[in-house]
Amino acid sequence: MMQYCDKAVDLSRHEIEELQVERLRRTVERAQATEAYRDRLNQIRPSEITDPADVRGLPLTSKKQLREGMPYDFLAVPATEVVRMHYSSGTTGLATAVYHTRDDVHRWARCVARGMLAVGVGCEDVFQNMMGYGLFTGGLGFHYASELIGCMTIPASSGGTRRQIHLMQSFDSTVLHIIPSYALRILHICAEDDLNPHEAFSVRSIFVGGEPHSEQLRRRIEEGFGARVFNCYGLSEMAGPGVAMECPEQTGLHICEDHYLAEIIDPQTLEPVEPGEPGELVLTTLTREAMPLIRYRTRDIAHLLPGKCPCGSSHIRVSRIEGRTDDMLVVRGVNVYPIQVERALLDIDEVGSNYLINLDRPEDLDRMTVAVELTQHAFTDEMRRLNALQERIERRLHGELDISVEVELHEPGGLPVADGKAVRVIDNREQEL
Ligand code: DLL
C-alpha cells in the first residue's frame, strides 16, 4: 500500500503564520453567519486581521455560551451539509453537540494521522482502538486516521478487559489507543492472569489521552507494556483527539497549528500570560466549516513551549495538561489538583493502579481521604509494615499538598473502575452543608 503522507507537518514558522492569518479571516467570516456570533462579531472586519495575534481582539467563547446556543446557534452551514455530530457528556452541567461537514471529518482524521505518523505508525501496523466508539470522540477520532494510514484497525472500543487481551494476542496488535487509567487496569488483569505483557504482546506504541494523567503514570504504562507511550490531547469542541500530539522527543505535544490557533490566558484577568507561563488554554478552530469556534476557553491548564523542537517540526508545543480550572479542589483553604495526588502516589513503588480521593466535612472541617490500591506484593505484607507504608504515603501527600490527608489502603482491584474516563474525586462536602 502507498504510504499516506502529510505535507503540513513540514511547514515553516512563516508558512504556518501566513496560513493562520488567511484561515482566521475565513473563520471569522463563517462565524459571522451564525446566530451565536453574529452580534458579537459585527464590528470585526476579517480583512483587517494581519497577524495571528490579532485573534486577541476577538471575543472569548465559553462552555456556558455553547450550552446556551444549543442545539443550532453555532451552526455555520445548512443542516444538509452536516454529516456527523458528537455530544460531549461533560462532567459539569449539560452536554453540548459539535457538528462536522464531510471535509471537517477528513481534516480531523488528518490531524490524528499526523501525530500517528510522527511516531512511526505505518500501514504494516495492527492498531487496536480501545477508546469508546459513539458520542465520545476518542474511538471514531482515531479510527478514521488509522484507516487513512492503512493500519489494520481493530475497533475494539472500551471495556471487556480479557477480550481486549485476547484480541491483542490473537492479532499481534502493535499500536494501541487507550485511556491511561484503563491501561493500568489491563496491566492489573495481566498480573492476575500471570501473563507477562512483554512476552505476551507485540505492542510497541501506545497513544493515551482523554483524561489528565501524570508523567509517573505514563512511565508505569511504558514499563508495564514495554512500549513507548505518547500523549494525545483534544476535546470534543475542537473535534476530539488530535488537537496536539507528542512526537518521539516527548518534550511537549505539537499543536496542529494549521487547524487550531492556541493562546494561553490568565483565567482570572483573561489577559495573555508571559510566553512559557502556565494558564488556561484557549483555542480557535481555523478550518472547521460546520461549527467554527472563536477563542474557546478549554478550562485546561498548560503552558506553551516556544522554540523549535529537535524533531524538526515548527508546530508549537504545549505541555502536558497540568490541571483544569474547574477541577481544583479547595481543601481547608488550600488549592489542590487531583493530578498532584497522582504524582505523589505513583512515585511510591508499593502503590498499585488505582486511587480515589474522597472529601467530606465532619464537624465543619474539610477532610480528605485518599483510598489507594496497593500492588499484590505490598498488600500481602505484614501488618506492621502496612502501617508504616500508610504513614509514608500520608507524609508524601502532605509534602506535595501541604495539608494532612488520611490514607486508606486497599487490595489490588479493590476500587471501582469506570468504563471510560476515571472518576478520581468524590466530593460529599456540598450535601453536608
Ligand atoms: O477526551 C477527546 C480525546 C479523546 C482526547 C481521546 C484524546 C484522546 P472530551 O470528552 O470532550 O474529549 O474531553 C476533553 O479531556 O478538555 C481535557 O480536560 C481532557 N483531556 C483530553 N485529552 C487529555 C490529555 C476528549 N491528553 C477534556 N491529557 C479536555 C490531559 C486530557 N487531559
Side-chain angles (χ1 to χ4, degrees):
M1 181 185 290
M2 257 263 283
Q3 180 74 59
Y4 165 76
C5 82
D6 171 23
K7 298 209 175 63
V9 76
D10 297 324
L11 292 171
S12 68
R13 199 61 232 155
H14 178 69
E15 287 167 328
I16 290 174
E17 287 175 10
E18 264 189 356
L19 262 182
Q20 288 185 324
V21 168
E22 181 192 317
R23 292 178 172 180
L24 183 58
R25 289 179 181 171
R26 183 78 193 97
T27 296
V28 171
E29 274 167 19
R30 283 198 195 105
Q32 282 173 328
T34 67
E35 197 60 40
Y37 285 116
R38 185 170 300 129
D39 292 343
R40 299 175 68 214
L41 292 176
N42 66 4
Q43 303 293 328
I44 309 290
R45 285 210 190 81
S47 59
E48 288 175 7
I49 295 172
T50 55
D51 188 287
D54 291 344
V55 74
R56 292 183 200 149
L58 304 177
L60 291 158
T61 306
S62 67
K63 180 81 172 176
K64 182 164 173 281
Q65 286 164 333
L66 269 194
R67 278 198 201 109
E68 286 164 0
M70 281 301 114
Y72 295 122
D73 285 1
F74 282 86
L75 194 61
V77 296
T80 49
E81 287 181 31
V82 175
V83 301
R84 173 100 66 85
M85 68 87 83
H86 281 276
Y87 202 55
S88 153
S89 54
T91 42
T92 43
L94 291 173
T96 49
V98 179
Y99 306 99
H100 301 277
T101 63
R102 184 175 288 133
D103 283 346
D104 289 338
V105 173
H106 288 161
R107 276 187 289 264
W108 176 16
R110 291 207 296 270
C111 286
V112 178
R114 182 184 301 174
M116 295 176 82
L117 290 173
V119 299
V121 177
C123 57
E124 68 290 351
D125 277 302
V126 177
F127 173 67
Q128 187 166 331
N129 195 0
M130 303 191 191
M131 287 270 179
Y133 278 63
L135 292 171
F136 177 54
T137 54
L140 285 168
F142 262 71
H143 183 96
Y144 281 66
S146 136
E147 288 191 349
L148 188 62
I149 292 172
C151 307
M152 180 171 104
T153 306
I154 307 179
S157 200
S158 55
T161 309
R162 287 198 167 82
R163 192 191 50 182
Q164 299 280 7
I165 292 174
H166 172 73
L167 287 169
M168 284 160 76
Q169 287 187 289
S170 308
F171 300 98
D172 292 324
S173 305
T174 53
V175 181
L176 310 179
H177 180 213
I178 188 164
I179 297 250
S181 53
Y182 190 60
L184 291 190
R185 172 85 192 147
I186 295 202
L187 291 174
H188 168 73
I189 298 288
C190 286
E192 250 184 34
D193 292 358
D194 254 339
L195 201 69
N196 176 354
H198 292 225
E199 289 163 8
F201 304 141
S202 314
V203 177
R204 58 184 178 81
S205 303
I206 305 177
F207 295 96
V208 294
E211 67 181 10
H213 58 285
S214 57
E215 187 59 36
Q216 284 82 343
L217 201 150
R218 182 231 293 271
R219 260 187 267 125
R220 287 206 172 193
I221 304 172
E222 290 199 321
E223 282 160 19
F225 281 92
R228 288 196 79 187
V229 171
F230 299 102
N231 193 354
C232 166
Y233 169 76
L235 59 161
S236 321
E237 295 89 330
M238 297 288 131
V243 171
M245 290 173 73
E246 264 179 339
C247 67
E249 302 292 330
Q250 292 183 317
T251 53
L253 293 74
H254 288 279
I255 297 176
C256 285
E257 279 199 285
D258 43 337
H259 298 282
Y260 301 102
L261 183 54
E263 307 164 68
I264 306 281
I265 64 165
D266 178 322
Q268 255 81 48
T269 64
L270 309 183
E271 292 299 321
V273 298
E274 292 298 317
E277 287 298 308
E280 181 176 350
L281 178 64
V282 167
L283 293 167
T284 299
T285 63
L286 290 176
T287 48
R288 199 157 59 194
E289 295 170 338
M291 194 169 155
L293 286 182
I294 310 265
R295 304 192 76 205
Y296 182 69
R297 296 186 61 178
T298 63
R299 295 169 294 170
D300 290 320
I301 300 167
H303 61 274
L304 293 177
L305 297 144
K308 201 165 167 152
C309 177
C311 80
S313 166
S314 298
H315 292 261
I316 200 164
R317 285 163 297 164
V318 62
S319 67
R320 159 187 303 289
I321 301 299
E322 295 151 23
R324 277 180 65 83
T325 56
D326 55 4
D327 77 357
M328 189 182 78
L329 306 164
V330 182
V331 185
R332 297 196 288 277
V334 177
N335 300 347
V336 173
Y337 287 101
I339 202 83
Q340 288 178 285
V341 173
E342 179 174 304
R343 266 205 309 261
L345 289 180
L346 296 191
D347 262 348
I348 299 170
D349 288 342
E350 292 89 340
V351 169
S353 50
N354 204 356
Y355 65 93
L356 182 64
I357 301 168
N358 278 293
L359 291 158
D360 59 359
R361 189 176 279 149
E363 292 164 19
D364 284 341
L365 195 66
D366 289 343
R367 177 172 62 185
M368 180 163 160
T369 313
V370 183
V372 181
E373 273 185 23
L374 297 183
T375 60
Q376 191 58 45
H377 188 252
F379 190 73
T380 44
D381 215 340
E382 56 188 83
M383 209 52 197
R384 184 176 50 87
R385 290 218 231 165
L386 279 179
N387 287 339
L389 174 61
Q390 177 176 356
E391 279 171 27
R392 180 149 59 92
I393 301 176
E394 284 174 350
R395 272 200 307 277
R396 181 76 183 78
L397 286 170
H398 187 268
E400 174 80 30
L401 310 174
D402 236 5
I403 49 165
S404 55
V405 173
E406 291 177 23
V407 165
E408 281 172 7
L409 303 182
H410 288 255
E411 64 180 315
L415 294 175
V417 185
D419 216 8
K421 304 186 185 206
V423 177
R424 299 297 196 193
V425 182
I426 296 182
D427 193 342
N428 286 315
R429 291 177 298 178
E430 294 307 310
Q431 289 91 309
E432 290 169 14
L433 279 178

